[in-house]
C-alpha cells in the first residue's frame, strides 16, 4: 500500500531544504532518499545522471559545498542546509557555458553524454583546486569517472583545454 | 538499487549520539561518510533499523598531529587527512596509503575512522593502523571511553571490536620514530579498486644503517590485516646486503590469502611476497634518508 507521493504508509518523511545552484529548494522525503533521486525526482533536475548506484561510475557526481561527491552515496537528509551545484548550475548567469563545458564541446570529449555531467562537476572542482594540472593529475583526478564511449583521450585533452580557457578568461570563470 | 527504510537520527553532539545509539539496541548503525554503508544498503546487503548520522558532530571533525602521533576524529574525511602537511611530516604512511583508498571524490566524503570501523581486510587503513601499533578510541553511553589497540580491534572480515551501542570517536596513529622509514605499495586491478594484495612496511635502522626492525602488514592476505615481524628474516644487515629473496619467501610462507574470481590464492601469496620486499626496501631507503629512491625491481 502506498501513501503520500508513493512512499509506503507509515514511513516518516523529513522536510529537507538545500541550496541548489544558488536557489533554496525543499521537499518532504524519507531519510533513505538518495541525493541523486532527490535532485532528479523531487526537484526535477535530471541533469545529474545515475548509472550504478554504488559509487563506481561517477555519473552522479555533484558539488557539495564546492567539493565533488557521489550523490548516489549521500542521503539528502544528511546534507540538509548545505549547498549543491549540479551540472545545471555550471554555466554563467547568462547561460554562457563555463570554460570546462566549452572545452568538452570543442575537444569532442563526449559522445552519448551519459557520463558528461559527472565529468563536468569533477573537472570543475579539479581545476579550481589545481588550475594547471599536468597529465598525471588529470588522469588521477578523473580516474573515478567511467566513460563507455570516448576512450578518455579527448576528455583528458578537454581538461587541459579548459585550464587554458579559464586562464584566458581571467578571474572567476572556472 | 534503493536503500530500505530506516529510522533516522541526527544528533548534534557526542553525548546525544551515544544516548540515541544506546536506545536503538542492537539495530542501530552509525552513518559516517556512507561510502561503504550506503552501497551496501543500496544493494540491500545491509538493512539497519536505525541510522545514527554523525555528520552534524562538528567536534569530531578533527585532525591533530603532535610529536607523538596523529589523532584523527570520527568525522575527518580521508581527503582532509591526506592533504595535511603536518600529518605527512608526523606519519607519512597515512598519506601514502590514502592515495590508494578509492578515488579522490570518494575520499572527499569517506572517513578514516569509518574505514577502520568497516574493518575490510582489503582496505588500506586497517593495515596502516595495525603496522604502526595504533589504537581506536571507543565510546558508549554512560561509560568512560576505552582505547582498543589495533591488534585487538580487527576481529574478522567486516567485524570490528565494536559492541552494539559503541561509537569509534577517534583513531591514533603513532609518529615514526627516528631512523625509521615507511612505505605502502599495492596492486589493484584498476586504479582506486580494493587491492588484490598490498603491503604497509615500517623499517628502523641502527646507527650503522643496519636493519634493526622490520614490520609489515599485509592487505587482502587473510581475514584481518596480517602483521608480520620480519626483523629476523632481514638479519642485522644494511638493506643493500639483505637476502631479499629469503624475506619474500618467508612472507609467502606466513600469509594465507583466499582466492576469488580476480586472483587465485597462490597468485595473491606470490604478489604479497613481491610487494613486501618492495615496500621494505623503499622503507629502508627512506629510513637511511634516501628520499626519492625508487625500486629497481
Ligand atoms: C567505488 C568505491 C571504491 C572504494 N575503494 C576503496 C579502497 O580501495 N580502499 C578502501 O579502504 N576503501 C574503499 N572504499 C570505501 C571507502 O574508503 C569508505 O569511505 C570507508 O570504507 C568507510 O568510511 P565511511 O566514513 O564512508 O563509513 P560509512 O560507510 O559511513 O560506514 C562504514 C561502516 O562503519 C561503521 N562506522 C562508521 N563510522 C563509525 C564510527 N565512528 N563508529 C562506529 N561505527 C562506525 C558504519 O556503521 C558502517 O558499518 C571505496 C568505496 C567506494 C564507493
Ligand atoms: S550512480 Fe553514483 S557513482 Fe554510479
Ligand atoms: S560519452 Fe557516452 S559514456 Fe561517456
Amino acid at each position: 500500500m502506498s501513501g503520500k507521493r508513493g512512499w509506503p504508509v507509515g514511513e516518516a518523511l523529513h522536510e529537507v531544504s538545500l541550496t541548489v545552484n544558488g536557489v533554496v529548494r525543499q521537499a518532504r522525503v524519507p531519510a533513505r532518499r538518495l541525493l541523486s533521486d532527490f535532485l532528479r525526482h523531487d526537484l526535477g533536475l535530471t541533469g545529474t545522471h545515475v548509472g550504478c548506484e554504488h559509487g563506481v561510475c561517477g555519473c552522479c557526481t555533484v558539488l557539495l559545498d564546492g567539493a565533488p561527491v557521489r550523490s548516489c552515496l549521500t542521503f539528502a537528509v544528511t546534507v540538509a542546509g548545505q549547498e549543491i551545484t549540479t551540472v545545471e548550475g555550471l554555466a554563467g548567469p547568462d547561460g554562457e557555458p563555463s570554460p570546462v563545458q566549452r572545452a568538452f564541446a570543442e575537444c569532442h570529449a563526449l559522445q552519448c553524454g551519459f557520463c558528461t555531467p559527472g565529468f563536468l562537476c569533477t573537472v570543475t572542482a579539479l581545476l579550481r583546486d589545481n588550475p594547471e594540472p599536468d597529465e598525471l593529475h588529470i588522469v588521477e583526478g578523473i580516474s573515478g569517472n567511467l566513460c563507455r564511449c570516448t576512450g578518455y583521450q579527448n576528455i583528458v585533452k578537454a581538461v587541459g583545454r579548459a585550464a587554458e580557457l579559464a586562464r584566458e578568461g581571467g578571474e572567476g570563470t572556472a | 538499487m534503493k536503500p530500505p527504510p530506516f529510522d533516522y537520527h541526527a544528533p548534534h553532539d557526542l553525548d546525544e549520539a551515544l544516548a540515541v545509539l544506546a536506545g536503538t539496541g542492537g539495530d542501530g548503525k552509525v552513518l559516517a561518510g556512507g561510502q561503504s554503508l550506503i552501497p551496501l544498503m543500496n544493494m540491500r546487503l545491509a538493512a539497519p533499523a536505525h541510522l545514527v548520522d554523525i555528520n552534524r558532530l562538528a567536534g569530531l571533525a578533527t585532525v591533530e598531529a603532535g610529536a607523538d602521533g596523529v589523532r584523527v576524529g570520527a568525522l575527518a574525511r580521508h581527503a582532509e587527512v591526506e592533504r595535511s602537511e603536518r600529518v605527512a611530516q608526523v606519519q607519512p604512511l597515512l598519506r601514502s596509503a590514502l592515495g590508494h583508498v578509492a578515488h579522490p571524490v570518494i575520499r572527499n566524503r569517506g572517513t578514516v575512522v569509518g574505514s577502520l570501523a568497516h574493518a575490510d581486510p582489503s582496505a588500506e587503513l586497517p593495515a596502516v593502523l595495525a603496522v604502526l601499533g595504533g589504537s581506536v578510541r571507543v565510546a558508549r553511553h554512560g561509560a568512560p571511553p576505552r582505547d582498543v589497540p589495533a591488534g585487538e580491534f580487527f576481529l574478522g572480515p567486516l567485524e570490528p571490536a565494536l559492541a552494539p551501542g559503541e561509537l569509534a570517536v577517534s583513531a591514533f596513529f603513532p609518529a615514526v620514530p627516528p631512523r625509521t622509514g615507511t612505505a605502502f605499495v599495492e596492486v589493484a586491478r584498476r586504479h582506486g579498486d580494493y587491492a588484490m594484495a598490498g603491503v604497509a612496511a615500517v623499517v628502523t635502522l641502527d646507527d650503522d644503517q643496519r636493519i634493526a626492525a622490520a614490520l609489515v602488514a599485509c592487505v587482502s592476505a587473510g581475514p584481518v590485516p596480517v602483521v608480520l615481524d620480519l626483523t629476523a628474516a632481514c638479519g642485522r644487515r644494511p638493506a643493500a646486503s639483505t637476502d631479499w629473496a629469503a624475506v619474500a619467501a618467508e612472507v609467502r610462507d606466513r600469509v594465507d590469502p583466499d582466492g576469488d574470481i580476480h586472483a587465485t590464492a597462490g597468485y595473491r601469496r606470490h604478489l604479497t611476497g613481491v610487494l613486501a620486499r618492495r615496500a621494505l626496501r623503499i622503507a629502508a631507503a627512506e629510513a637511511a634518508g634516501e628520499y626519492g629512491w625508487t625500486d629497481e625491481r
Side-chain angles (χ1 to χ4, degrees), chain A residues 49-60 70 72:
Chain A
H49 290 173
V50 170
C52 68
E53 287 186 330
H54 61 277
V56 173
C57 75
C59 292
C60 67
R70 297 287 197 249
C72 75

Side-chain angles (χ1 to χ4, degrees), chain A residues 8 11-12 14 31-34 36-37 41 50 52-56 61 64 67-70 72-75 77-80 82 122 129 139-141 143-145, chain B residues 1-9 31-36 38-44 51 53 55-56 82-83 99 102-109 190-192:
Chain A
E11 188 163 2
H14 302 257
R32 63 178 162 133
R33 191 59 142 173
L34 299 171
S36 44
D37 290 339
H41 302 313
V50 170
C52 68
E53 287 186 330
H54 61 277
V56 173
T61 306
L64 169 65
V69 300
R70 297 287 197 249
C72 75
L73 298 186
T74 309
F75 292 121
V77 263
T78 294
V79 295
Q82 290 182 256
T122 306
D129 295 346
V139 171
E140 159 80 10
S143 64
N145 291 70
Chain B
M1 292 295 291
K2 304 296 176 195
F6 52 84
D7 284 345
Y8 178 72
H9 309 272
L31 174 68
Q35 304 301 288
S36 292
I38 300 180
L40 288 175
M41 292 178 66
N42 283 357
M43 292 186 264
R44 304 253 171 152
L51 277 193
D53 187 344
N55 284 281
R56 287 173 187 77
E82 185 186 9
R83 261 196 312 265
H103 309 288
V105 172
I106 307 278
R107 299 202 289 271
N108 280 340
R109 200 75 199 142
R190 287 168 303 250
H191 183 79

Side-chain angles (χ1 to χ4, degrees), chain A residues 30-116:
Chain A
R32 63 178 162 133
R33 191 59 142 173
L34 299 171
L35 178 60
S36 44
D37 290 339
F38 185 85
L39 293 167
R40 291 175 56 82
H41 302 313
D42 298 300
L43 303 186
L45 293 169
T46 53
T48 299
H49 290 173
V50 170
C52 68
E53 287 186 330
H54 61 277
V56 173
C57 75
C59 292
C60 67
T61 306
V62 300
L63 304 179
L64 169 65
D65 292 338
V69 300
R70 297 287 197 249
S71 60
C72 75
L73 298 186
T74 309
F75 292 121
V77 263
T78 294
V79 295
Q82 290 182 256
E83 287 199 21
I84 308 289
T85 306
T86 67
V87 66
E88 289 95 338
L90 295 182
D94 47 0
E96 169 80 0
S98 74
V100 179
Q101 290 172 309
R102 274 194 284 152
F104 268 63
E106 238 181 67
C107 300
H108 303 286
L110 59 145
Q111 289 177 28
C112 78
F114 193 83
C115 67
T116 311

